[in-house]
Amino acid sequence: MGAKTRRSCQSAPALRHIQDILLTRRMSSFDEGRHPSRSLVGRLEHAACDSQQKLLFVSCLGDDCVSVVDLHRGTLVGELPAERPRGILLVPKAQMLIVATCRGVDAWRCDSLPVSHGSDESIVPLDFDVSAAVSSRRKLFDAPDCGNLALCPRTGQLAVTHRHCITLLDVESFWAAANAADYRATVTATIVLPTQPEGFDFSLDGARLYANLPDIASVAVIVVDPFREAVCRPPKAVATTAAESGVVAIASLPASSSSVLSASPVRLVSLPRRHWDNFPLIAINGGFAVVTRKPACLLLFNDDDVEVAHCGSLVGDAEDLFFDQRRNRFYVIGGEGNVAAIQIRYRHKKDGRTHSRPPPSRSPLSEKGEPADYEIVLVEVETVTSSVGARTGCWSNTRDRLYVAAPESKSCPAHVMVFEAQTGENDSETDQEEQED
């Protein structure tokens, strides 16, 4: 389960493999003598990290459960029953763990989950009360084939994908009113897209929702807050027609409490020619990033939906993409058994020198006036070997850790690979001119 590394642009590693956490179930007392433990055998989906309590939650789609991992001791402490879980996230403000399943969206109260007991190694392992956690579960939303989840950073709305739709839910007041078991979260809007969405994310200002549409090699840009969109992105002097800007109609499902987003356009941003099978997507300050599988490439777009940089020769079968804000770096997890670290660098257009930090005055991603003096360059600084089939995980900005969920294979049981992010020498200095591909 060790990790091999290939580095290209810096002497210090970008990611250091520090730990493997086995995902093994404890069997009942009847079977304990013959089979004391058993590895999770099914497909592993997305994960969420509670940095404060040092807990990791992994969606185990093939085993119909959510595994709860104690990161301090590196052990599996319990499981939450969930039918084919996929997307998962924590809502700290609402004190909820939310999981998308094949039958809808479930939520658990965080105070019913295990709590870390500190850093004293002599303290006994955590006791996980499954019955208490199960009794706190509530159904947020009913819909078949729910997939990914995203939380609006400004309004706290929850977005969930199901088939060709994205539904927005009000979850902040859910627990206060959820006295009855059949209570559901309020649906604020439902958007029907031309094809099934995959990776999606809210813009950091909460005005937009970006959604990957791999079947048509496009990204849907959905304006969910027209007022904030107009404030943050004033319209240009030259107006474009609906056909020119790629606007498509919104279909809103009938719901008594649902608001229709008919005034908010959905703009389809086509990927560059011969780029398709786009799955991972993440919003960053001033734009968004997309990873395509064919060919393996990271594409960076600004707020005007214009491609400003790209980096090819990435890992294959990518499904998860994360952004390290402190180091200005992307991490791409690929199912072929690799994790790529891609650094954002800023190259001066006149002298060709590159910098790892954005210029103090302006950024190429958010520049609205005259052309910036710097242009963005994406550089793959390192590729680390993980495990074949490990294509999902999560990133913790507070702990500087990347967690990669590796399913069971012939050589090793299911486990979570823990990587520590490092700051390379070239990340804090001015670099020499680098040639693009």
Side-chain angles (χ1 to χ4, degrees):
M1 292 185 288
K4 298 180 180 179
T5 303
R6 185 182 81 239
R7 293 191 292 272
S8 59
C9 298
Q10 57 184 34
S11 57
L15 290 171
R16 184 169 65 94
H17 182 219
I18 60 174
Q19 188 182 16
D20 285 319
I21 302 175
L22 296 179
L23 298 178
T24 54
R25 286 172 164 171
R26 290 185 177 181
M27 306 303 291
S28 63
S29 58
F30 177 78
D31 292 330
E32 192 170 356
R34 294 175 298 174
H35 305 286
S37 63
R38 180 173 69 85
S39 170
L40 296 171
V41 297
R43 174 180 171 181
L44 303 180
E45 278 288 339
H46 302 282
C49 180
D50 186 344
S51 300
Q52 183 177 2
Q53 302 297 345
K54 300 182 178 65
L55 295 174
L56 182 71
F57 303 93
V58 183
S59 291
C60 305
L61 183 144
D63 294 271
D64 289 336
C65 70
V66 174
S67 294
V68 185
V69 177
D70 178 6
L71 295 175
H72 174 61
R73 290 174 176 79
T75 58
L76 178 67
V77 296
E79 296 170 357
L80 300 172
E83 191 171 0
R84 297 185 64 81
R86 291 194 61 193
I88 182 171
L89 59 81
L90 284 163
V91 186
K93 188 175 181 180
Q95 289 295 297
M96 285 191 294
L97 172 70
I98 302 178
V99 180
T101 71
C102 66
R103 294 183 181 274
V105 180
D106 295 340
W108 285 266
R109 290 186 64 92
C110 289
D111 56 14
S112 68
L113 302 176
V115 178
S116 175
H117 291 250
S119 58
D120 187 356
E121 294 290 349
S122 64
I123 296 177
V124 296
L126 298 175
D127 293 326
F128 181 66
D129 190 347
V130 176
S131 60
V134 171
S135 63
S136 75
R137 180 171 63 175
R138 293 290 184 270
K139 179 71 71 173
L140 273 173
F141 177 63
D142 292 303
D145 302 328
C146 289
N148 295 321
L149 300 170
L151 190 69
C152 180
R154 193 181 67 86
T155 65
Q157 286 190 107
L158 176 71
V160 54
T161 62
H162 53 102
R163 296 186 177 175
H164 287 198
C165 304
I166 296 179
T167 295
L168 304 182
L169 303 172
D170 178 16
V171 299
E172 297 248 341
S173 59
F174 173 74
W175 282 112
N179 297 321
D182 59 349
Y183 184 84
R184 298 294 184 266
T186 302
V187 176
T188 58
T190 299
I191 304 159
V192 179
L193 296 170
T195 183
Q196 180 173 343
E198 288 295 338
F200 73 115
D201 199 6
F202 282 95
S203 62
L204 299 189
D205 56 24
R208 292 180 171 185
L209 185 63
Y210 303 108
N212 251 339
L213 304 178
D215 290 345
I216 57 176
S218 300
V219 175
V221 182
I222 308 163
V223 179
V224 294
D225 190 337
F227 176 77
R228 193 165 185 84
E229 172 75 8
V231 172
C232 298
R233 304 172 184 86
K236 295 183 176 181
V238 180
T240 57
T241 64
E244 291 172 346
S245 59
V247 175
V248 298
I250 291 181
S252 181
L253 296 183
S256 58
S257 59
S258 177
S259 62
V260 181
L261 296 179
S262 57
S264 303
V266 175
R267 184 170 58 259
L268 295 182
V269 180
S270 299
L271 298 182
R273 189 178 179 183
R274 295 186 297 275
H275 284 74
W276 59 292
D277 210 7
N278 45 309
F279 269 72
L281 178 147
I282 190 172
I284 62 173
N285 187 22
F288 63 95
V290 176
V291 173
T292 61
R293 294 178 176 177
K294 298 178 182 179
C297 185
L298 172 65
L299 305 170
L300 194 59
F301 292 82
N302 62 13
D303 261 348
D304 294 327
D305 310 326
V306 177
E307 181 194 349
V308 295
H310 70 276
C311 179
S313 302
L314 294 180
V315 297
D317 194 21
E319 191 160 330
D320 255 347
L321 171 66
F322 305 100
F323 185 62
D324 184 346
Q325 298 175 356
R326 186 176 306 174
R327 297 167 183 82
N328 221 24
R329 184 189 297 162
F330 291 101
Y331 302 117
V332 183
I333 303 178
E336 292 183 354
N338 295 287
V339 179
I342 299 96
Q343 187 74 42
I344 295 181
R345 294 200 171 133
Y346 302 87
R347 181 165 58 194
H348 198 279
K349 291 182 177 179
K350 293 183 179 179
D351 59 23
R353 297 178 65 85
T354 61
H355 306 262
S356 295
R357 293 296 172 187
S361 59
R362 59 183 71 174
S363 169
L365 273 184
S366 58
E367 181 66 28
K368 296 296 183 181
E370 57 183 320
D373 296 331
Y374 291 84
E375 60 183 355
I376 286 184
V377 178
L378 296 177
V379 180
E380 183 180 4
V381 295
E382 183 178 42
T383 299
V384 178
T385 300
S386 55
S387 179
V388 176
R391 55 173 58 87
T392 57
C394 73
W395 163 254
S396 172
N397 269 310
T398 57
R399 294 176 59 85
D400 287 335
R401 299 285 192 275
L402 178 68
Y403 303 96
V404 179
E408 184 183 50
S409 63
K410 294 181 180 180
S411 59
C412 61
H415 60 285
V416 174
M417 303 183 70
V418 184
F419 295 90
E420 181 183 38
Q422 305 283 307
T423 301
E425 294 178 2
N426 291 340
D427 290 345
S428 58
E429 299 176 358
T430 301
D431 304 326
Q432 299 297 324
E433 180 179 1
E434 297 175 6
Q435 300 293 330
E436 288 185 278
D437 295 338

